[in-house]
Amino acid sequence: MNTPQTQRLQRLRNDRMLAGVASGLAQYIGVDPVITRLVFVVLGLVNGMGVLFYILLWLLMPNEDADPTTNNLHTAIGEMRVIMERFLSAVRDVFQR
């Protein structure tokens, strides 16, 4: 007898705009990733909760290829650091022109 594979809430690597949170959440609940991205944007613009939820999920959701024995929090913080450094570097480049 075949048992269905348990679906996990995880960040996707192949369909990410920033960290893969929206696409992972969309896959988990069975909707298009554009819908979840729009919900995060609307909530972010309305009361800022979208940004808070996104960051919280980024910290808590493991990557799809994450080792279950590793600490996801340290991995997510490292990813955030790299993205922020790239962003700040791009901003500096714009203002130095």
Side-chain angles (χ1 to χ4, degrees):
M1 180 175 166
N2 291 342
T3 58
Q5 191 176 30
T6 303
Q7 189 175 13
R8 293 181 36 185
L9 181 60
Q10 55 195 2
R11 294 183 291 130
L12 301 181
R13 288 218 179 260
N14 60 351
D15 187 23
R16 64 174 44 180
M17 298 284 290
L18 183 61
V21 171
S23 58
L25 186 60
Q27 181 185 41
Y28 185 76
I29 60 177
V31 298
D32 191 89
V34 173
I35 294 170
T36 56
R37 289 180 181 121
L38 287 174
V39 168
F40 279 117
V41 169
V42 169
L43 287 175
L45 293 174
V46 171
N47 60 9
M49 293 303 290
V51 175
L52 180 65
F53 287 148
Y54 193 91
I55 292 171
L56 184 64
L57 288 173
W58 188 351
L59 292 171
L60 297 176
M61 287 172 60
N63 277 320
E64 63 184 331
D65 57 356
D67 180 6
T69 62
T70 61
N71 186 344
N72 182 60
L73 187 61
H74 291 290
T75 304
I77 290 172
E79 288 176 352
M80 286 180 182
R81 181 176 297 126
V82 169
I83 288 172
M84 287 305 299
E85 288 171 353
R86 287 182 193 156
F87 175 75
L88 292 175
S89 176
V91 169
R92 272 189 237 116
D93 289 346
V94 166
F95 285 110
Q96 288 179 352
R97 291 182 186 176

